[in-house]
Amino acid sequence: WFDRKLQAVDHLCFSRSPLLSVYADMSVTCKEYFDPDKSMLELVFAPCSPLAGGKVNWIGKSDEDIIDATMGELTRLFPTEIANDDKWPATGGQGAQGQAKLLKFTVVKVPRSVYAAIPGRNKYRPSQTSPIPQFTMAGCFTSQKFLGSMEGATLAGKLAAEVISNRAVGNADKPIKEIQQHIVDAASTFVPKQPVGVKGEGAIAFGGGYTMGKKEETLLKESDPVQFDAAAAEVAMSK
């Protein structure tokens, strides 16, 4: 929540920032948050850990660390509007023209939610047509032109429906996308693991987001400890 209106955003934006993948000024785009004088930004800060292709394990960082990094990125996206605020060191390079200061914030963590879109990964996405008779795949993990997202899932569903419709009229299936040979080789030695299972009853336990307290952080460490290991190592090295 900012103390004044940001003038550069009037719709949902996909960002050129390596950390803020998508953002919107909710005071403009949603009537529930409408405010003619102040902006309320909602942002997707991702990727949040090395597991998702990022360079920093943000999931294990404090809310203040995450907000400082966010403010630093916002100075790049709104170079003439975000103020130089002593509370957030990442804004230290801002000039006198920027006036907007942060009033309050909330951080909602969704582990393993959004991954880094790096070159060369689309070859690992399977086609909607599969080698198993009558088995068709959909979902943002399948081969389609968007990120792992709602848009990607919608497009993948449309492509899967086309496969089924094509079969229904008696046409041959489209070619199955080739599976990379090293994936086939690795599958021969794969050892299934027992799932960790659901820890707790909060949103994170079921794949959602949550504003973390100590209880939620403890449960997440139990179910997904690797998210915190790198962050703990970083803290230890900095001391």
Side-chain angles (χ1 to χ4, degrees):
W1 285 263
F2 286 89
D3 62 356
R4 64 197 65 216
K5 202 75 170 176
L6 298 175
Q7 302 301 317
V9 175
D10 63 358
H11 49 75
L12 176 71
C13 296
F14 285 94
S15 169
R16 64 184 182 275
S17 162
L19 284 177
L20 306 179
S21 57
V22 62
Y23 61 95
D25 187 342
M26 305 297 279
S27 69
V28 175
T29 59
C30 294
K31 64 180 182 180
E32 293 88 348
Y33 298 103
F34 175 74
D35 189 324
D37 302 314
K38 299 176 184 178
S39 283
M40 194 278 267
L41 295 187
E42 282 200 1
L43 316 100
V44 176
F45 186 102
C48 63
S49 74
L51 285 175
K55 296 180 180 180
V56 178
N57 194 338
W58 292 104
I59 204 74
K61 299 285 189 180
S62 69
D63 289 356
E64 288 72 21
D65 286 338
I66 292 170
I67 293 300
D68 186 47
T70 299
M71 292 300 293
E73 291 301 301
L74 288 177
T75 63
R76 297 174 58 211
L77 298 174
F78 303 93
T80 63
E81 298 188 68
I82 301 298
N84 183 333
D85 190 341
D86 292 340
K87 186 175 181 179
W88 308 111
T91 65
Q94 287 296 90
Q97 186 178 1
Q99 297 294 312
K101 289 191 175 184
L102 193 64
L103 292 175
K104 61 179 180 177
F105 62 85
T106 298
V107 175
V108 177
K109 295 183 179 181
V110 188
R112 300 180 187 245
S113 174
V114 179
Y115 60 86
I118 58 177
R121 309 307 297 176
N122 200 51
K123 63 177 177 282
Y124 294 109
R125 287 175 159 180
S127 55
Q128 285 74 36
T129 306
S130 81
I132 303 173
Q134 308 304 315
F135 182 72
T136 304
M137 292 186 289
C140 63
F141 71 93
T142 60
S143 190
Q144 43 85 20
K145 64 182 180 180
F146 297 136
L147 297 172
S149 58
M150 292 183 290
E151 294 82 5
T154 300
L155 177 56
K158 180 177 181 294
L159 295 172
E162 289 178 358
V163 171
I164 296 170
S165 299
N166 194 51
R167 288 175 181 162
V169 296
N171 294 331
D173 282 343
K174 295 179 179 179
I176 297 173
K177 192 172 180 179
E178 180 183 3
I179 299 175
Q180 300 296 304
Q181 187 57 47
H182 70 94
I183 298 296
V184 176
D185 296 341
S188 63
T189 58
F190 175 73
V191 178
K193 298 179 181 179
Q194 287 293 324
V196 175
V198 174
K199 296 285 186 179
E201 299 178 352
I204 286 178
F206 300 95
Y210 205 84
T211 304
M212 277 198 196
K214 289 297 182 182
K215 176 183 177 182
E216 291 74 30
E217 186 173 306
T218 299
L219 290 171
L220 183 57
K221 284 180 178 178
E222 290 181 20
S223 61
D224 201 358
V226 71
Q227 292 275 10
F228 288 86
D229 291 345
E234 288 174 18
V235 172
M237 289 177 63
S238 66
K239 292 182 179 179

